[in-house]
Amino acid sequence: MTRYSPCQPNITGSGTVAANPVLTDKAVIQTFDLTKYYGNFLAVDHLNFSVQKGETFGFLGPNGSGKTTTIRMLVGLSKPTEGRASILGYDILTSMAEAKRSIGVVPDVSNLYDELSARNNLLFMARLYGVARDLREAKADELLKIFGLYERRDDPFGTFSRGMKRALTIAAALIHSPKILFLDEPTTGLDVVAAQSLRNLISNLHSQGQTIFLTTHYLEEADRLCDRIAILVKGKIIKIDTPLELKNSAKGKAAIEITFTGNIRTRLDELSIKIPGTKIYALDDDKVRICGGDPAKIFEGAFQFAKDAGIGLEFVNSIRPSLEDAFMRITGLSPKIMAIEKTGR
Amino acid sequence: MWQDDLRAVYCIALKDMRTYYLKPPAISWGVIFPVVWILAFYLRNPGNFEDLIPGLIAMTILFSTTAAEAVVINFELKLGSIERLLLAPISIASVLIGKVLGGFIFGLIMTAILTIASSIYLGLHPNALLLTAIAVPSLLVFSSLGAFFSVAVKEVFEAQTLLNLPRFFMIFLCGVVYPISAMPKWLQDLAYILPLTYTVDGLRRSFYLSSTSSMFTDLLVLIVFFIILIVPATRLLEKKFE
């Protein structure tokens, strides 16, 4: 087995991507130019980041940006084409089996066994990970209680709702008390209430000191749960920082949302001519967000555009910089692209 | 580590027994199908039925092991459950061997029931040691055959369908109901490259205690078949996670 010493180069992943990374003793995940090609397609492009013990680190990016590919490499389901990484000091190329003992993984699908009951699924996973016989049942029951599934412990997994399946899949990943929990898109496909409840559970795990590596395409989820966020676009990390710092980077830039009475999606070029020096993002057919520039000139230009186009203004809102604004400013992408790509619309 | 892998093999086999082997596909192909064949042969020629017993046990081994095995791995690949198993500190080979062992245990139970029942009913006295020496590697060979087809195809239904080709070939060519020696030379040559031939031959010798040296050859050939099926099946499964 290969374990890295703290003398090897690393990056903290704080702020923009560092050229000369600084190593910290608390780093539990470190990557060094981690790269994955599928044929000629570059899915993950020389990633360098580290995750500290006890933090919730988020990978935020649209569908297809390389989030799941990165997780699959870190948990041993896929081999990197180039570069390397370590989990708790274990090289993922040479000592993955040792690393796997200390990680729990929640894939993007809830893939426990439909035929087995909630409790038997957990007991099966406990046996697989070699949890001591006298601890298995107590640990399974404890997790079932924490995740609010104890009353349904004898029901088959196949009869559970999506939210309950997700919760049990997380519980299964915790059965061997891992030091790091990997969560791949944990709330995707859940209704608002189930997603909220799951976020509370993740937040509670974090407050108990659990290190969490989370991928998501939901900005508000990353904002709420993560200590630091890496923004990933087309396999590359564009920026790594805390949600607060990311939002601060968008401060001082006006952000105004305007809802028109008609469809203006095809006329964005005309609008942008009226409001030079700004970035315009279509949020809907009739709604845009305008970032940067002088608010007075934005209002003036928008009124002029509406008058020329023969449509009215329904709502005009000046908004505080959010993670969405930061995301748009950093990536140049509309946050809508995340949802659109994910649902295939 | 090998302890993790051994534990995984045991857990996976046990779990598969509970989740798959008492389900309709396993019952219909693994139990009902061989029983119907046995009844059909019995009704056709009740007087000479005991001569057919080794062949019918071989057929039970073939169908009971491959019944669910041929779909289980592919089904779990689709569901992502194999991926979940591989998140544990265990090797791909141990996952596959665990799956093969599930089919093996189901086949062993079916074969044991049929052998004991037919021996008592017909008053046969097979050599239990020799019979076990042939049945065990045979169960492993055909469970691995099911596993191989399961990982080689993309869709669940393809595995069962494609597997029927070698299964039915073997029923007719390997001496289950028709002696190989009575077949044309080219069909005999074909029979000797099929594993069921060695199962039938070995079982027949264990029932009628003829040459045990040929039986050693049967055993050796079956072990070779097991290796040439399990190794590429493991490699194919590994390729899916590269």
Side-chain angles (χ1 to χ4, degrees):
Chain A
M1 89 182 87
T2 308
R3 287 195 82 152
Y4 291 128
S5 78
C7 305
Q8 285 172 293
N10 181 31
I11 60 167
T12 61
S14 182
T16 51
V17 179
N20 292 306
V22 179
L23 187 100
T24 70
D25 288 338
K26 287 176 75 182
V28 289
I29 302 174
Q30 302 174 16
T31 69
F32 310 92
D33 286 332
L34 193 67
T35 303
K36 182 75 182 181
Y37 279 92
Y38 290 112
N40 290 325
F41 175 69
L42 178 58
V44 169
D45 188 0
H46 298 85
L47 299 190
N48 289 289
F49 65 90
S50 70
V51 178
Q52 310 301 306
K53 187 180 176 189
E55 83 169 329
T56 298
F57 186 85
F59 249 34
L60 176 68
N63 197 25
S65 59
K67 304 187 297 293
T68 297
T69 304
T70 306
I71 276 206
R72 289 177 66 83
M73 287 191 282
L74 292 177
V75 303
L77 285 178
S78 173
K79 285 183 184 150
T81 315
E82 290 171 25
R84 59 202 173 100
S86 71
I87 304 284
L88 296 158
Y90 294 107
D91 188 325
I92 61 164
L93 292 174
T94 57
S95 312
M96 197 61 225
E98 283 79 9
K100 280 180 174 179
R101 284 179 227 287
S102 303
I103 62 172
V105 186
V106 180
D108 55 353
V109 288
S110 302
N111 53 9
L112 296 176
Y113 296 101
D114 281 351
E115 298 82 359
L116 296 184
S117 69
R119 195 163 185 271
N120 281 338
N121 262 302
L122 295 189
L123 291 174
F124 171 68
M125 295 312 295
R127 273 194 290 271
L128 205 61
Y129 277 90
V131 176
R133 187 187 290 265
D134 54 334
L135 295 178
R136 279 179 214 151
E137 299 206 348
K139 183 75 184 171
D141 288 343
E142 180 197 339
L143 286 166
L144 286 165
K145 282 174 188 162
I146 290 171
F147 284 84
L149 296 168
Y150 190 70
E151 300 303 313
R152 299 281 307 270
R153 63 188 179 281
D154 294 323
D155 292 351
F157 180 68
T159 63
F160 282 12
S161 69
R162 273 187 180 183
M164 290 162 74
K165 281 185 174 177
R166 220 65 197 116
L168 191 71
T169 309
I170 297 178
L174 292 168
I175 194 76
H176 58 296
S177 309
K179 293 189 173 113
I180 306 171
L181 180 64
F182 287 87
L183 294 165
D184 192 7
E185 305 270 6
T187 60
T188 296
L190 299 186
D191 62 60
V192 178
V193 177
Q196 194 57 34
S197 155
L198 209 58
R199 283 175 195 140
N200 289 339
L201 285 169
I202 295 166
S203 188
N204 288 342
L205 289 172
H206 177 44
S207 60
Q208 287 160 24
Q210 177 74 54
T211 306
I212 297 171
F213 183 99
L214 168 98
T215 75
T216 183
H217 64 281
Y218 296 130
L219 291 154
E220 68 279 12
E221 185 166 283
D223 192 9
R224 186 186 151 189
L225 296 176
C226 298
D227 296 314
R228 288 185 306 140
I229 296 169
I231 295 178
L232 198 68
V233 177
K234 292 183 180 168
K236 234 180 160 63
I237 293 179
I238 307 292
K239 179 136 177 143
I240 303 176
D241 218 325
T242 62
L244 184 66
E245 284 305 315
L246 289 171
K247 282 184 269 190
N248 282 345
S249 70
K251 250 186 188 168
K253 307 276 181 187
I256 293 166
E257 277 183 10
I258 302 175
T259 307
F260 293 89
T261 55
N263 189 336
I264 53 109
R265 195 181 279 277
T266 55
R267 311 178 75 163
L268 291 179
D269 288 344
E270 292 171 47
L271 179 60
S272 106
I273 290 165
K274 298 280 183 199
I275 319 169
T278 61
K279 278 200 166 180
I280 301 172
Y281 304 95
L283 299 179
D284 222 326
D285 285 346
D286 57 352
K287 190 176 178 182
V288 290
R289 181 174 293 177
I290 302 163
C291 298
D294 176 2
K297 289 204 169 122
I298 291 173
F299 286 128
E300 193 184 317
F303 280 124
Q304 191 58 49
F305 164 77
K307 194 175 161 190
D308 293 351
I311 53 175
L313 297 179
E314 201 167 1
F315 299 108
V316 179
N317 293 318
S318 174
I319 55 169
R320 282 169 51 192
S322 64
L323 193 59
E324 269 191 20
D325 300 303
F327 179 83
M328 286 191 288
R329 218 174 67 76
I330 293 163
T331 64
L333 298 170
S334 162
K336 273 264 172 188
I337 196 165
M338 310 265 223
I340 288 166
E341 287 187 8
K342 196 72 188 175
T343 54
R345 281 186 291 123
Chain B
M1 288 214 284
W2 65 270
Q3 292 101 323
D4 292 320
D5 287 322
L6 264 186
R7 191 180 54 244
V9 167
Y10 168 73
C11 289
I12 292 165
L14 207 68
K15 193 274 304 167
D16 276 7
M17 282 299 294
R18 290 170 69 177
T19 49
Y20 299 119
Y21 286 97
L22 290 174
K23 296 287 158 63
I27 299 291
S28 62
W29 281 100
V31 182
I32 297 173
F33 187 82
V35 166
V36 168
W37 270 72
I38 290 164
L39 281 176
F41 282 108
Y42 178 72
L43 293 173
R44 184 175 175 270
N45 193 358
N48 247 354
F49 187 57
E50 60 263 31
D51 289 347
L52 291 174
I53 290 299
L56 294 176
I57 291 173
M59 199 178 67
T60 305
I61 290 175
L62 171 64
F63 277 89
S64 58
T65 48
T66 52
E69 194 64 57
V71 292
V72 162
I73 301 170
N74 196 289
F75 178 65
E76 287 200 6
L77 276 168
K78 292 262 170 210
L79 283 182
S81 307
I82 295 277
E83 218 171 80
R84 166 156 288 283
L85 296 175
L86 293 174
L87 293 170
I90 57 176
S91 65
I92 287 183
S94 62
V95 171
L96 196 75
I97 291 170
K99 296 281 170 201
V100 167
L101 192 64
F104 170 88
I105 295 169
F106 180 71
L108 185 66
I109 294 167
M110 290 300 118
T111 307
I113 292 170
L114 175 75
T115 308
I116 292 166
S118 57
S119 297
I120 292 170
Y121 182 71
L122 297 168
L124 303 173
H125 302 284
N127 181 314
L129 189 69
L130 297 181
L131 192 141
T132 310
I134 288 298
V136 167
S138 297
L139 288 161
L140 286 172
V141 166
F142 296 114
S143 193
S144 305
L145 179 73
F148 176 79
F149 273 83
S150 198
V151 291
V153 299
K154 283 192 175 164
E155 299 298 331
V156 174
F157 71 89
E158 285 176 307
Q160 255 325 347
T161 313
L162 285 175
L163 189 59
N164 277 338
L165 200 68
R167 280 199 296 207
F168 285 108
F169 259 127
M170 284 195 275
I171 289 176
F172 292 108
L173 294 179
C174 298
V176 172
V177 289
Y178 193 72
I180 295 174
S181 56
M183 293 193 298
K185 175 77 171 64
W186 67 276
L187 277 181
Q188 286 187 30
D189 292 343
L190 191 59
Y192 286 116
I193 58 165
L194 296 170
L196 197 68
T197 299
Y198 302 93
T199 301
V200 175
D201 187 65
L203 289 173
R204 193 149 280 159
R205 288 176 197 283
S206 73
F207 268 85
Y208 303 113
L209 302 174
S210 52
S211 163
T212 47
S213 63
S214 299
M215 204 162 168
F216 184 71
T217 311
D218 293 332
L219 176 64
L220 210 63
V221 173
L222 286 168
I223 290 169
V224 171
F225 268 112
F226 173 60
I227 293 165
I228 62 176
L229 285 166
I230 197 76
V231 171
T234 309
R235 188 70 201 111
L236 279 172
L237 192 59
E238 278 170 350
K239 274 183 90 75
K240 290 183 191 281
F241 293 96
E242 278 177 357

